[in-house]
Amino acid sequence: MGRRIWGCWQGVLSTALLYGSLALFTSILHNVFLLYYVETFVSVYKIDKISFWVGETVFLIWNSLNDPLFGWLSDRTFLSSPQAGSQITNPEVVLKRLKALSTNGPLFALSFLAFWVAWARPGLQFLLCLCLYDGFLTMVDLHHSALLADLAVSATDRTRLNFHCSVFSALGSFSVFLSYSFWDKEDFYSFRLFCVILAAFSIMGFFLVSQMLQRRFRKEVRPKQDEASALKELSVGHAPLTHPEKPVTIGQYLKQLSRHKNFMWFVSMNLIQVFHCHFNSNFFPLFLEHLLSDSISASTGSILLGISYIAPHLNNLYFLTLCQRYGVYQVIRWLFMLKLGLSVAMLLAGADHIYLLCVFIASNRVFTEGTCKLLKLVISDLVDEDFVVNRRQQAASALLFGMVALLTKPGQTFAPLIGTWLLCVYTGYDIFERDSVKDSVSGSRVASSSGNPPLRLGCFYLLVFVPITCALLQLVTWSRFTLHGRKLQGIKALRQGAQQGHLIDVKAI
């Protein structure tokens, strides 16, 4: 009876729906982590400043290195050219990634729980928790992202997969709203219980969905394995027609990647995008405080914050329909032009139009985050081009996603550093010495003895000039990216031709 119900569920749920649901089990935990982990260690566990910065520094290094490291460990066997009778089929690759998700997904949820119970000295616990959490998050994110390139080749199928991810990520964002009801620094019990429930739901979800997907793809692997074993029996006693090639080393792979011009232009654009996304996240509270706090209520501010978390996922659903019609390249280009146009309009309007400021602050973050969510589709196209140009045995999707992360994650660090430096240079306001500037703050305005502009005006210029600069640089770099239109169609046709008989039947998606 239980097996019949299990089989019935498998028949009803599509591959795209199951793939998208994996994003829910990640986002419900990660959104809560981003919002509360610093506050927990600073206000509840009372971590000292030196331990905090040491932990963040080690985390920065580990966060940058683990993506390509795990990608290399996962995909290094796919880098050599295909040999007769030794080709790995696409369903086998998908099964390998699903097994990794079924293991690392629950471990990711358990590492999330380690933040909310004091089990060691604050400095040591902070360091260990961050590294463990980010390690398992990277494994989950790498394999989930790689599946986008492995499950489908056509732009339509990949857009459908991404569409379901956006729907479930939007649902996962509601954990942020629920968390406000349980968060209390003085009484941590309710919040801990809430986190345990979230983690239990995530563990169960990762296990069940990955098992359902594994059963689905094992059906495709078995006939291909039988065919391969039959061919092997027929070739017994015959000398191999080709000599096996040596596996590609990491140095050779990096050399191949450095010659991949579209990859280099994409990474340049994406580095700026990552910087802008994290700049908006880091300075969103500061902009609310100094640009809007005197003019809007606290509830309006919380609504703006909520919109900035959920709207990017919902907005992405519309962007994906545009991608199906006009292509990802064109939609991203339009978003850069929109960012530039809105920022220039806000600059000309000035800082005194409060409602216009509210719309701009929210839309700036929504459109920027929306652009970030489309970039996985572009990386999947780069996976196809890398496969064709370098004649891979299999698409090294996890490794390429890891290399993109390695080269763009410095934008996360540059965002707060450059933002606070610009604010300090222009207004004299040091965000790390709030107590020393309280006496000189009046109505959210700071003026130094050297005649620097007030803090509110400095925040406004920071708000508009950063997106203007980012948009101009991105339009220049994106114009050099050539993997779109007919060239992209040709690359996809070549990949499908090279892996004929080894690709998954995308109609099942």
Side-chain angles (χ1 to χ4, degrees):
M1 181 68 180
R3 287 184 179 180
R4 189 178 298 173
I5 295 172
W6 178 266
C8 181
W9 272 109
Q10 282 193 298
V12 172
L13 301 176
S14 68
T15 300
L17 189 68
L18 291 171
Y19 171 78
S21 68
L22 292 170
L24 169 65
F25 309 131
T26 303
S27 61
I28 58 169
L29 302 184
H30 192 54
N31 287 330
V32 173
F33 160 79
L34 290 175
L35 206 56
Y36 294 109
Y37 87 95
V38 172
E39 184 73 9
T40 297
F41 275 90
V42 172
S43 302
V44 179
Y45 299 154
K46 309 296 182 185
I47 188 173
D48 61 278
K49 187 176 181 179
I50 294 176
S51 297
F52 180 81
W53 284 112
V54 168
E56 286 287 357
T57 302
V58 174
F59 169 64
L60 170 65
I61 298 169
W62 171 240
N63 187 34
S64 298
L65 295 178
N66 60 20
D67 289 270
L69 173 64
F70 294 155
W72 174 259
L73 293 174
S74 171
D75 288 2
R76 66 186 185 278
T77 56
F78 303 154
L79 296 178
S80 57
S81 299
Q83 299 298 319
S86 65
Q87 190 164 341
I88 302 171
T89 63
N90 217 53
E92 289 175 316
V93 175
V94 170
L95 272 177
K96 178 182 177 182
R97 302 210 188 283
L98 290 172
K99 287 174 183 176
L101 283 171
S102 67
T103 303
N104 292 290
L107 291 173
F108 160 70
L110 290 174
S111 68
F112 167 79
L113 288 178
F115 282 93
W116 319 117
V117 179
W119 48 268
R121 291 178 58 187
L124 179 62
Q125 182 177 348
F126 184 68
L127 176 62
L128 293 177
C129 282
L130 276 180
C131 290
L132 277 174
Y133 177 85
D134 187 67
F136 289 122
L137 175 63
T138 298
M139 287 294 286
V140 169
D141 193 45
L142 269 183
H143 286 288
H144 187 246
S145 298
L147 280 173
L148 182 65
D150 295 330
L151 286 173
V153 175
S154 75
T156 302
D157 290 323
R158 282 179 179 171
T159 302
R160 193 183 304 125
L161 290 169
N162 209 349
F163 180 90
H164 283 81
C165 283
S166 295
V167 171
F168 281 102
S169 295
L171 291 173
S173 298
F174 282 100
S175 64
V176 172
F177 290 98
L178 290 173
S179 67
Y180 285 121
S181 305
F182 298 95
W183 175 253
D184 185 354
K185 291 186 290 186
E186 306 303 325
D187 183 10
F188 219 45
Y189 177 77
S190 298
F191 183 75
R192 282 175 179 148
L193 188 61
F194 170 71
C195 290
V196 168
I197 293 170
L198 287 182
F201 176 75
S202 180
I203 289 170
M204 195 162 48
F206 270 116
F207 179 76
L208 290 177
V209 170
S210 60
Q211 287 298 316
M212 291 173 77
L213 285 169
Q214 282 182 67
R215 285 196 174 199
R216 183 165 297 182
F217 289 108
R218 280 196 192 102
K219 294 176 183 177
E220 296 201 31
V221 171
R222 283 193 188 113
K224 289 179 173 60
Q225 286 177 335
D226 294 340
E227 181 184 347
S229 61
L231 289 171
K232 188 176 180 181
E233 287 176 8
L234 290 173
S235 64
V236 171
H238 294 278
L241 297 175
T242 57
H243 297 287
E245 289 187 8
K246 293 180 180 179
V248 176
T249 64
I250 186 66
Q252 291 171 325
Y253 177 74
L254 293 175
K255 190 175 181 179
Q256 291 173 349
L257 214 55
S258 67
R259 293 197 299 261
H260 192 170
K261 291 184 179 180
N262 280 322
F263 173 81
M264 301 306 292
W265 284 117
F266 172 78
V267 164
S268 302
M269 179 278 292
N270 196 20
L271 175 63
I272 302 168
Q273 187 65 23
V274 170
F275 166 83
H276 193 200
C277 283
H278 284 83
F279 173 84
N280 286 338
S281 300
N282 296 151
F283 289 91
F284 196 92
L286 189 73
F287 293 148
L288 286 181
E289 178 185 353
H290 295 292
L291 290 173
L292 300 174
S293 61
D294 294 338
S295 306
I296 63 171
S297 63
S299 59
T300 305
S302 65
I303 290 172
L304 282 176
L305 186 63
I307 289 172
S308 72
Y309 269 92
I310 292 180
H313 301 292
L314 300 177
N315 216 27
N316 198 40
L317 303 180
Y318 174 64
F319 292 156
L320 288 169
T321 60
L322 292 179
C323 288
Q324 287 183 314
R325 183 177 298 180
Y326 302 105
V328 182
Y329 174 85
Q330 194 62 43
V331 172
I332 291 175
R333 184 169 175 269
W334 287 340
L335 286 171
F336 292 154
M337 295 172 70
L338 181 63
K339 176 163 65 176
L340 179 61
L342 288 174
S343 303
V344 171
M346 191 69 248
L347 176 63
L348 295 175
D352 296 327
H353 294 77
I354 299 302
Y355 291 106
L356 196 58
L357 262 178
C358 289
V359 172
F360 178 75
I361 289 174
S363 64
N364 183 35
R365 190 171 190 275
V366 167
F367 289 134
T368 304
E369 292 288 335
T371 305
C372 286
K373 297 185 186 310
L374 295 178
L375 297 182
K376 283 187 179 181
L377 292 173
V378 184
I379 302 173
S380 298
D381 293 338
L382 288 169
V383 169
D384 296 338
E385 189 178 34
D386 176 71
F387 170 84
V388 171
V389 171
N390 295 299
R391 300 181 67 244
R392 305 286 188 211
Q393 177 182 348
Q394 258 294 333
S397 42
L399 180 54
L400 196 71
F401 273 94
M403 293 305 299
V404 169
L406 172 67
L407 297 173
T408 58
K409 276 190 175 180
Q412 297 181 14
T413 306
F414 294 151
L417 292 178
I418 293 175
T420 51
W421 176 76
L422 287 173
L423 199 62
C424 185
V425 168
Y426 189 69
T427 67
Y429 176 75
D430 189 347
I431 198 170
F432 298 107
E433 298 178 5
R434 287 175 178 262
D435 294 336
S436 65
V437 298
K438 276 183 180 178
D439 296 334
S440 60
V441 176
S442 177
S444 295
R445 295 177 180 273
V446 177
S448 70
S449 57
S450 60
N452 283 339
L455 177 59
R456 187 172 188 275
L457 190 60
C459 285
F460 175 73
Y461 285 143
L462 198 64
L463 175 68
V464 293
F465 277 120
V466 166
I468 287 174
T469 306
C470 289
L472 288 172
L473 291 172
Q474 286 176 306
L475 283 169
V476 171
T477 54
W478 196 231
S479 66
R480 305 299 299 273
F481 187 83
T482 61
L483 190 59
H484 56 90
R486 289 184 179 179
K487 181 174 181 178
L488 178 60
Q489 291 173 6
I491 288 290
K492 288 184 179 296
L494 286 170
R495 181 181 175 187
Q496 287 173 324
Q499 290 189 301
Q500 192 67 39
H502 297 281
L503 285 170
I504 295 164
D505 180 13
V506 293
K507 292 178 182 177
I509 291 176

